[in-house]
C-alpha cells in the first residue's frame, strides 16, 4: 500500500454531533435522564454515554417518573411526544432539524387533504418517526413499490400525493421515484428532503471509490447510512471493507492496493476514525496530508472575527444551520444573512450549498457558533466602496432611512449618506418617497476610519438622462413612435418624457374628442404611446401626438351613418345660432337653433347644455366640406303620410 485518502465529509454530520453533544451536556449536568432508544447508531458512542450515566430504554413507558428523557436524533412520533407531555416528563429533543422539517411537511400535507408518501427503508426508526406524524402514511422503498401501490388502488379517495424522502434512500432512488410519480400521478408535490450533508458524503464516497483499489467504510453495522455508503463504494471499487472500529482491521489480511480510501457514516465519531487511521498507517508508507488536517480541523477552536466556510444542512424560519467540520455547529440568524430587506432566503442559500461567513460568537455553554454572512459582506463591501470611489463606478443599493437632510442607502452592507440636494427629488417631495427603493449612485466621499460614506443619486440620474437624450436626438425623426411617461400637464397640453427628452402633446393631439383640459385624457405618471409630429434639433423642441391616425374619424362616421339615420350625440359647444354635438369622436355636427325643438327657441341654452346626450336625426351631409346637419325637431314633428300631406287636427 502506498497512499491513504479520507473523504472530506466522513464522520459525524451536524444532526448526529448535535444529539451527542446534547446527551453529553445533560450527563455532565447530572440531570436524572435516560435516552429513548440509542441516540445514534453507534455502539461505541452509546457505551461511552452509558459510562457517563445515561442508560437506554426501549419504550416510552420505561422512562421512570421524575426522570427527563432525550429524544434521539432519528426523532419520535407525535404520539410519543404527547405521552411525555401527559406524564409531565421533561423532554430534551435531539431530533435532527432536517428530520423535524420532514415531520412538519407530512403533518401539514395531511391537514391540506393530501396523502403523505415517504420514500425510505420502512422499518428504519427515522422513517417510523416520520410516519408517526400523520394518520395514514404510505412508506415505499423505491419506484417498484411505488408502481405496485399505485396499481393496487389503495389510494381509494384519489387524494393528491405529497412525496418526501428520508436519508436511508439515495438520491438516485428518490429521483427515480419522482420520475415515475410524475408519469403516473397528477397534482403530486415533491420535497427533496434527503439531507444535504448525506448527499454530499455519498457523492464524495462514490468519487473516491472510483480512484481507489480498496475502500474502508467505518461505521456501526446497524446504521443504514453506513450500509448505503458500502453499497455506493462497491459500485466503483473492487475491494470494500466495512468495519466498526480499529480492532476489526487485520493488517496482514488487507488487500494490496496503491491507493486506499476511507469514508465513515454519519454516526461515526472522529476518535474512531483516528484510531482506524493510526492502525492502518502502520502499513501505509504515504499519508494524504488532507486526512491529518481534517482530523485537526474537527478539534480546532474558533475565535470571534474568524472567516469560515461551511455547508448548509438545514434552513428554519429563524436561522440557517451550518456544518463547519468542527465540534460545534454553526448558526446564521436570518437577520445576519443579508443586508437586503427584500431578498428571500431561498435566493441566497439552499441545503447543501457551501457558505462563507464570519464568526460572531463561540459559545461553549450552548455548544454552538454564531455566524454572520451579512457582516462578512459588509467587510467586503468597504473594499468595493473604496474601489467604486476611486474608479467613479456606479453602484446599487436600497434606501433604508430618511430624514430632512437626505437619505441613507445600504450599498454592500455599508451605510451611504445621500444629501437631499443629491437625491434628485423635487424640493416639495418628501425624502420618504425613496424609502425601500433600489437606487443607483456614485460614491463621492469615503472615510473608513470615521465610517462615513457620501454618495450622489442625482449625478447618476443626470448622466444617464444626458446619455439617453443624446441618443434620442441622434435618432429622432418625424413619425417615429416612443413609449413615454407623462411628466406634467398645462392648460394647453401634456409634457411627455420619451427617454431623457421631454416633448409636448398639444391638447388638440391628445384625443379625437373635444376636451377642455389634458387631465380628461392623461395624468402625471401615466405611460403613453406617442409619435413625433415634428422635432426642432436647434431649438430642442419636440411636438408629439397621441391620436390614432390609422382610423380617420370622418371615415368612421361615413361608414357608420347616412342621411336619415338617428344618432345619440353629445352636446359639446353652444353658439348663438345653435349647438355643436359630437357624433363620433373627432366629428361634430350642427344642430341649428331652428332644429333644437318643435317650437321657437330664443337661445340654445334654453333647450340643451354642454355635455347633454340627445337623440338627433342626420338631415344633411356635406361630403366636400365635411359638415353635418343635425335635427332634434325632425324627431319631434308628427310623421307625414306617404303622399306627404299633413294629417288634419281632427285626425
Amino acid at each position: 500500500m502506498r497512499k491513504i485518502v479520507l473523504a472530506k465529509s466522513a464522520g459525524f454530520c451536524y444532526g448526529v454531533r448535535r444529539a451527542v453533544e446534547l446527551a453529553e451536556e445533560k450527563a455532565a449536568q447530572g440531570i436524572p435522564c435516560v435516552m429513548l432508544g440509542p441516540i445514534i447508531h453507534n455502539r461505541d458512542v452509546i457505551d461511552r454515554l452509558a459510562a457517563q450515566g445515561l442508560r437506554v430504554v426501549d419504550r416510552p413507558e420505561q422512562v421512570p417518573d421524575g426522570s427527563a428523557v432525550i429524544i434521539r436524533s432519528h426523532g419520535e412520533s407525535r404520539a410519543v411526544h404527547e405521552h411525555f407531555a401527559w406524564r409531565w416528563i421533561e423532554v430534551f429533543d435531539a431530533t435532527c432539524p432536517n428530520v423535524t422539517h420532514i415531520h412538519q411537511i407530512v403533518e401539514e400535507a395531511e391537514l391540506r387533504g393530501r396523502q403523505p408518501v415517504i420514500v425510505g427503508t420502512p422499518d428504519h426508526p427515522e422513517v417510523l418517526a416520520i410516519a408517526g406524524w400523520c394518520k395514514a402514511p404510505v412508506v415505499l422503498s423505491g419506484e417498484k413499490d411505488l408502481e405496485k401501490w399505485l396499481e393496487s388502488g389503495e389510494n381509494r379517495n384519489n387524494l393528491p400525493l405529497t412525496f418526501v424522502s428520508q436519508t436511508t434512500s439515495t438520491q438516485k432512488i428518490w429521483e427515480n421515484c419522482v420520475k415515475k410519480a410524475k408519469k403516473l400521478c397528477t397534482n403530486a408535490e415533491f420535497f427533496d428532503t434527503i439531507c444535504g450533508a448525506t448527499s454530499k458524503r455519498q457523492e464524495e464516497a462514490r468519487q473516491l471509490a472510483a480512484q481507489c483499489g480498496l475502500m474502508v467504510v467505518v461505521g456501526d453495522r446497524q446504521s443504514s447510512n453506513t450500509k448505503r455508503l458500502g453499497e455506493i463504494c462497491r459500485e466503483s471499487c473492487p475491494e470494500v471493507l466495512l468495519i466498526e472500529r480499529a480492532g476489526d482491521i487485520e493488517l496482514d489480511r488487507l488487500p494490496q492496493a496503491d491507493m486506499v480510501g476511507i469514508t465513515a457514516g454519519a454516526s461515526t465519531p472522529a476518535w474512531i476514525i483516528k484510531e482506524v487511521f493510526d492502525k492502518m498507517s502502520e502499513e501505509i508508507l504515504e499519508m494524504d496530508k488532507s486526512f491529518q488536517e481534517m482530523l485537526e480541523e474537527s478539534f480546532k477552536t474558533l475565535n470571534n472575527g474568524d472567516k469560515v466556510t461551511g455547508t448548509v444542512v438545514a434552513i428554519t424560519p429563524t436561522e440557517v444551520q451550518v456544518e463547519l467540520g468542527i465540534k460545534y455547529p454553526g448558526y446564521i440568524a436570518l437577520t445576519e444573512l443579508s443586508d437586503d430587506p427584500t431578498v428571500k432566503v431561498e435566493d441566497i442559500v439552499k441545503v447543501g450549498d457551501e457558505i462563507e461567513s464570519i464568526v460572531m460568537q463561540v459559545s461553549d455553554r450552548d455548544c454552538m457558533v454564531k455566524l454572520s454572512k451579512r457582516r462578512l459582506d459588509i467587510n467586503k463591501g468597504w473594499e468595493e466602496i473604496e474601489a467604486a470611489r476611486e474608479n467613479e463606478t456606479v453602484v446599487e443599493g436600497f434606501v433604508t432611512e430618511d430624514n430632512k437632510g437626505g437619505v441613507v442607502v445600504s450599498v454592500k452592507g455599508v451605510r451611504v449618506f445621500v444629501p437631499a440636494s443629491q437625491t434628485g427629488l423635487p424640493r416639495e417631495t418628501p425624502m420618504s418617497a425613496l424609502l425601500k427603493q433600489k437606487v443607483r449612485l456614485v460614491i463621492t466621499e469615503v472615510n473608513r476610519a470615521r465610517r462615513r460614506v457620501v454618495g450622489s443619486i442625482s449625478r447618476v440620474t443626470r448622466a444617464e438622462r444626458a446619455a439617453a437624450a443624446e441618443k434620442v436626438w441622434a435618432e429622432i425623426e418625424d413619425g417615429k413612435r416612443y413609449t413615454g411617461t407623462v411628466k406634467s400637464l398645462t392648460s394647453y397640453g401634456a409634457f411627455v418624457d420619451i427617454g431623457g427628452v421631454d416633448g409636448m402633446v398639444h391638447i388638440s393631439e391628445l384625443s379625437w374628442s373635444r376636451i377642455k383640459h389634458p387631465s380628461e385624457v392623461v395624468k402625471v405618471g401615466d405611460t403613453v404611446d406617442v409619435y413625433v409630429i415634428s422635432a426642432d434639433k436647434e431649438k430642442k423642441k419636440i411636438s408629439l401626438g397621441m391620436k390614432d391616425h390609422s382610423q380617420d374619424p370622418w371615415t368612421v362616421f361615413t361608414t357608420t351613418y347616412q342621411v336619415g339615420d338617428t344618432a345619440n350625440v353629445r352636446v359639446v359647444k353652444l353658439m348663438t345660432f345653435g349647438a355643436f354635438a359630437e357624433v363620433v369622436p373627432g366629428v361634430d355636427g350642427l344642430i341649428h337653433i331652428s332644429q333644437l325643438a318643435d317650437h321657437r327657441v330664443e337661445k340654445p341654452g334654453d333647450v340643451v347644455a354642454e355635455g347633454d346626450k340627445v337623440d338627433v336625426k342626420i338631415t344633411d351631409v356635406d361630403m366636400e366640406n365635411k359638415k353635418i346637419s343635425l335635427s332634434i325637431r325632425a324627431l319631434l314633428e308628427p310623421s307625414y303620410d306617404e303622399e306627404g300631406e299633413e294629417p288634419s287636427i281632427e285626425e
Side-chain angles (χ1 to χ4, degrees), residues 163-369:
F163 287 81
V164 297
S165 181
Q166 188 267 341
T167 50
T168 53
S169 175
T170 65
Q171 195 68 37
K172 184 177 180 181
I173 293 174
W174 167 252
E175 289 171 356
N176 288 341
C177 285
V178 171
K179 187 177 180 180
K180 178 69 69 175
K182 286 183 175 179
K183 286 183 179 179
L184 302 177
C185 308
T186 57
N187 197 25
E189 60 182 13
F190 306 92
F191 293 87
D192 186 355
T193 49
I194 293 180
C195 171
T198 299
S199 297
K200 185 177 180 181
R201 178 185 293 103
Q202 292 176 350
E203 181 57 31
E204 287 179 358
R206 179 179 290 106
Q207 294 177 6
L208 183 57
Q211 304 172 40
C212 296
L214 170 65
M215 279 295 296
V216 178
V217 181
V218 187
D220 194 287
R221 291 187 176 88
Q222 301 303 313
S223 169
S224 295
N225 181 282
T226 301
K227 292 177 184 177
R228 285 290 185 196
L229 283 176
E231 293 170 5
I232 290 169
C233 291
R234 287 191 183 96
E235 294 174 2
S236 307
C237 185
E239 296 287 345
V240 177
L241 179 64
L242 267 67
I243 62 172
E244 291 190 345
R245 58 189 65 82
D248 296 340
I249 301 174
E250 297 181 39
L251 294 177
D252 57 345
R253 300 185 65 180
L254 286 178
Q256 293 298 310
D258 290 338
M259 184 170 173
V260 177
I262 296 180
T263 187
S267 298
T268 308
W271 52 271
I272 288 183
I273 301 174
K274 188 174 187 304
E275 287 177 355
V276 170
F277 166 72
D278 287 343
K279 187 167 185 178
M280 293 188 68
S281 65
E282 297 174 13
E283 292 291 320
I284 295 173
L285 302 178
E286 181 182 348
M287 294 170 289
D288 186 10
K289 291 183 179 179
S290 63
F291 178 46
Q292 292 179 326
E293 290 170 358
M294 181 178 177
L295 289 176
E296 291 299 323
E297 285 287 314
S298 68
F299 295 105
K300 78 173 185 179
T301 57
L302 295 176
N303 298 306
N304 292 352
D306 286 353
K307 187 165 68 174
V308 294
T309 300
T311 302
V312 176
V313 294
I315 298 174
T316 75
T318 58
E319 63 192 10
V320 174
Q321 298 166 6
V322 182
E323 170 63 65
L324 296 173
I326 61 171
K327 64 178 181 177
Y328 293 160
Y331 297 86
I332 304 176
L334 296 191
T335 53
E336 292 296 328
L337 193 61
S338 172
D339 198 58
D340 183 348
T342 65
V343 75
K344 297 179 180 178
V345 176
E346 56 267 27
D347 293 335
I348 302 176
V349 292
K350 296 179 177 61
V351 171
D353 286 353
E354 281 199 347
I355 188 169
E356 196 175 30
S357 56
I358 196 169
V359 176
M360 293 171 56
Q361 180 186 1
V362 179
S363 174
D364 291 314
R365 180 177 63 84
D366 297 324
C367 299
M368 61 178 291
V369 180

Side-chain angles (χ1 to χ4, degrees), residues 127 386 542 581:
V127 174
E386 290 172 334
I542 302 174

